[in-house]
Amino acid sequence: MAEKLGIVVAKFNHEITVEMSKTAQKRAKELGAKIIKIAEVPGSFEIPFAAKRLLENKNIDGVVTIGAIIKGGTDHDKVIAHSIAKKLLDLSCRYNKPVSLGVIGPNATWQQAKKRAKDYGKRAVDAVVEMLRKG
């Protein structure tokens, strides 16, 4: 039986996240997983809210998250990244379904994020599928 996935994609830093999303979708297909729904959100901060909605869907086994948080002039990127990571872990445990942290950052430059985009997209899917298969 194919794993049924939901994907949340942040639109902020679109040039990076669209590449991550394409890679994630391709990887899901390679692994034989089925993507049930793709939810787009304004930015990475909104990922947990959309992830929660997908986790509530009985037809979705796990959620892949896609985002890129670029380092700015303040510690805002760290605050956002740490908040997202904690909330996604909490949601995963609450719903007993795997949720990946496919969010680049904090402390990433635009160039670093561009370089890591495909790898992060692939690994985000790999993590959810592996947890479902070994769970």
Side-chain angles (χ1 to χ4, degrees), residues 75-91:
D75 285 339
H76 183 75
D77 62 317
K78 291 177 186 168
V79 171
I80 297 298
H82 290 281
S83 297
I84 293 167
K86 180 175 182 342
K87 182 46 83 175
L88 292 177
L89 180 58
D90 290 346
L91 287 168

Side-chain angles (χ1 to χ4, degrees), residues 45-66:
F45 185 77
E46 291 80 24
I47 288 173
F49 183 78
K52 179 182 183 291
R53 286 192 167 170
L54 293 176
L55 290 165
E56 291 171 342
N57 183 330
K58 293 182 190 333
N59 295 319
I60 292 177
D61 300 321
V63 174
V64 174
T65 65
I66 302 292

Side-chain angles (χ1 to χ4, degrees), residues 15 17 26 31 48-49 61 66 69 89 103 124 131:
E15 186 179 329
T17 61
K26 179 181 174 191
L31 294 174
F49 183 78
D61 300 321
I66 302 292
I69 304 170
L89 180 58
V103 178
M131 289 299 295

Side-chain angles (χ1 to χ4, degrees), residues 19-62:
E19 191 66 38
M20 295 171 73
S21 180
K22 287 179 187 176
T23 302
Q25 291 174 58
K26 179 181 174 191
R27 183 61 175 164
K29 187 175 183 179
E30 291 170 356
L31 294 174
K34 183 177 179 183
I35 299 169
I36 303 299
K37 179 153 178 74
I38 299 174
E40 289 189 338
V41 295
S44 293
F45 185 77
E46 291 80 24
I47 288 173
F49 183 78
K52 179 182 183 291
R53 286 192 167 170
L54 293 176
L55 290 165
E56 291 171 342
N57 183 330
K58 293 182 190 333
N59 295 319
I60 292 177
D61 300 321

